[in-house]
Amino acid sequence: MGSSQSRTDTTEGKIAWSKSMNDVIEGRYEFVIALYLIRKQSRNRYGLFQPDFIKITFGPYLETPKHIHLTTLSIHDNTVRCMIGYNDKLFSGSVDETIKVCDTKTFKHIKTLDGHTGWVYCMILDQKPKSEGGGKLYSGSDDGSIHVWDPDTYKHIASLTEHNDWVRCMLVIDNKLYSASSDSRVAIWNTETNKLEGTLLGHTAAIFCMITIPSTLKSDKKICTGSADNTIRLWSIYTNSVLQILNVTSEVKCLIVTNNQLFSGSNDSKIRVWDIDSYEELAILDAGHKSSNFINSLVAANDCIYSGTDDGTINVWDVFTLEEIITLKGRSGWVDCMKVADNHLYVGHGNGSVKVYNTNTNQCVATLRSQSENNPVRCLGIVGNNLYTGNGDGTIQVRWCK
């Protein structure tokens, strides 16, 4: 749609629970009725049906089963590419060019944010107070624009239009928004005025990823960008100048920092490790994948790095020794996204399944299957007690993850 606006959804009614959750609800109802009848018949002469007794004795039975499928949100017309939670709400961006807002307590669709004329590819929240220019939601699209929204009122605040190609990723640092694009540039915006303040030039091809490098004893805070031009660039956020160029042999798809080290995943199936102060290359991690298998995702947990590839495997690396600990293999399609929460690694696969691993043992504890085969999981979100999976068919599956 051409103009930026929000539309209120008027859908009403009960939550459309999944069959699995309906079975749980029905079982609880029958259990409570049985307790009531037993209590009535015995006149509770032994005090067995006091609330504390019921909680201790039957509590585990009454708990919601972990990872159970709660419901499916059928709100988008095409692939869900990004999700973000805010104040009991889930914002989801899609190839259908819209952002949908759902209540995470009732699972009802409450708003549609229109305005982009291309895929909504990424979103980020500025968590600062509104008095400091924060409290805004930014959405980036393959139409080259960034739209600014008030996540409380859903009001459209501004359109930022410096880029002429996909907006791939964004960062908020202090009062600046950094947007990286397939046009090879990083634009810098003032979050209070929504005005362009500068542009980082140097890459010669699309920028796929961008992260913040935290301050250390030896250096100030920096940002780091990975590009299809086979380079990683580190930039000063104070001078807006490039500090270092790190050369690799293939497109850089993902970046992560942990243990004072920068890890980069590339299209040659290798992970390179750099010291973030000296920029020295410390190691090249090679798990023996075919060179055509891209490293699509990197996450850190429990002193380990997890790398997800096109061949569906996850390699686990020790951040101190830089040795491989284990390979988590599964015939579940390519790895598109990963998320860590509460000592669990959630991995979204190309066949529509989500594998769940315990990060203490690296054992698979669950395989969460989609309603339909070959419905790839494109993004993952955890809001409150629930896991949200954004799928290729435009649906969002909701699962209990506590």
Side-chain angles (χ1 to χ4, degrees), residues 84-327:
I84 196 165
Y86 173 79
N87 285 1
D88 296 325
K89 290 175 282 190
L90 178 77
F91 292 79
S92 56
S94 169
V95 173
D96 68 11
E97 304 179 358
T98 69
I99 299 167
K100 302 287 187 177
V101 189
C102 287
D103 188 306
T104 57
K105 290 183 177 179
T106 65
F107 304 120
K108 293 301 178 183
H109 171 213
I110 52 180
K111 281 287 183 181
T112 297
L113 309 184
D114 294 310
H116 285 295
T117 57
W119 298 12
V120 181
Y121 193 77
C122 56
M123 292 188 292
I124 193 170
L125 276 164
D126 185 350
Q127 303 284 4
K128 297 191 306 294
K130 289 188 176 181
S131 60
E132 299 176 14
K136 296 174 183 175
L137 172 70
Y138 298 89
S139 58
S141 170
D142 75 344
D143 63 12
S145 72
I146 299 164
H147 285 216
V148 189
W149 311 88
D150 185 317
D152 292 305
T153 65
Y154 315 116
K155 178 184 177 182
H156 182 261
I157 298 172
S159 297
L160 314 180
T161 55
E162 174 65 14
H163 294 294
N164 55 34
D165 207 335
W166 277 27
V167 178
R168 292 277 187 172
C169 45
M170 296 180 286
L171 291 174
V172 175
I173 304 175
D174 301 327
N175 67 335
K176 300 291 191 296
L177 171 74
Y178 296 80
S179 59
S181 169
S182 289
D183 66 9
S184 78
R185 298 179 296 161
V186 177
I188 307 170
W189 310 88
N190 186 300
T191 58
E192 296 181 31
T193 64
N194 298 313
K195 299 297 184 181
L196 183 70
E197 291 203 343
T199 306
L200 304 183
L201 302 175
H203 282 298
T204 58
I207 300 171
F208 289 137
C209 48
M210 178 170 59
I211 62 172
T212 305
I213 304 291
S215 301
T216 68
L217 293 175
K218 297 182 180 179
S219 63
D220 293 324
K221 187 185 296 183
K222 303 179 277 281
I223 66 169
C224 180
T225 51
S227 171
D229 65 8
N230 301 357
T231 69
I232 300 165
R233 290 177 181 252
L234 293 101
W235 311 82
S236 167
I237 66 169
Y238 302 109
T239 64
N240 295 337
S241 59
V242 66
L243 299 171
Q244 188 73 22
I245 301 173
L246 308 177
N247 293 293
V248 297
T249 58
S250 186
E251 296 181 353
V252 181
K253 298 298 289 291
C254 46
L255 297 163
I256 193 170
V257 169
T258 188
N259 192 36
N260 215 49
Q261 297 170 141
L262 170 67
F263 294 76
S264 65
S266 299
N267 280 2
D268 59 3
S269 80
K270 294 179 174 57
I271 300 167
R272 287 169 171 80
V273 189
W274 320 79
D275 183 283
I276 63 172
D277 287 322
S278 68
Y279 310 121
E280 176 188 0
E281 186 176 288
L282 303 176
I284 298 177
L285 311 184
D286 187 351
H289 298 288
K290 294 179 180 178
S291 60
S292 58
N293 287 321
F294 304 163
I295 305 289
N296 292 323
S297 182
L298 293 170
V299 296
N302 292 0
D303 296 328
C304 294
I305 291 290
Y306 294 83
S307 58
T309 63
D310 268 3
D311 64 7
T313 61
I314 300 102
N315 298 97
V316 188
W317 310 88
D318 187 300
V319 300
F320 298 107
T321 66
L322 302 180
E323 297 291 332
E324 185 180 13
I325 298 172
I326 191 173
T327 298

Side-chain angles (χ1 to χ4, degrees), residues 8-79:
T8 301
D9 181 76
T10 57
T11 302
E12 296 182 358
K14 298 179 180 179
I15 297 173
W17 295 115
S18 69
K19 182 181 182 304
S20 299
M21 192 60 196
N22 271 324
D23 290 343
V24 169
I25 294 169
E26 184 67 24
R28 288 174 177 171
Y29 175 77
E30 293 175 355
F31 176 75
V32 170
I33 292 298
L35 280 182
Y36 170 76
L37 293 175
I38 294 171
R39 182 180 186 275
K40 183 178 180 181
Q41 188 173 9
S42 67
R43 298 180 182 178
N44 199 26
R45 64 176 62 123
Y46 304 113
L48 297 179
F49 297 97
Q50 297 300 321
D52 287 346
F53 172 82
I54 293 174
K55 182 177 180 180
I56 293 171
T57 307
F58 303 109
Y61 173 78
L62 296 173
E63 288 181 355
T64 301
K66 191 162 189 174
H67 301 133
I68 191 171
H69 176 205
L70 298 177
T71 189
T72 297
L73 309 178
S74 300
I75 52 177
H76 285 289
D77 297 327
N78 211 323
T79 302

Side-chain angles (χ1 to χ4, degrees), residues 352-370:
S353 68
V354 176
K355 294 274 190 180
V356 187
Y357 297 90
N358 184 311
T359 55
N360 292 319
T361 64
N362 290 318
Q363 296 298 308
C364 182
V365 296
T367 299
L368 314 178
R369 303 198 180 279
S370 175

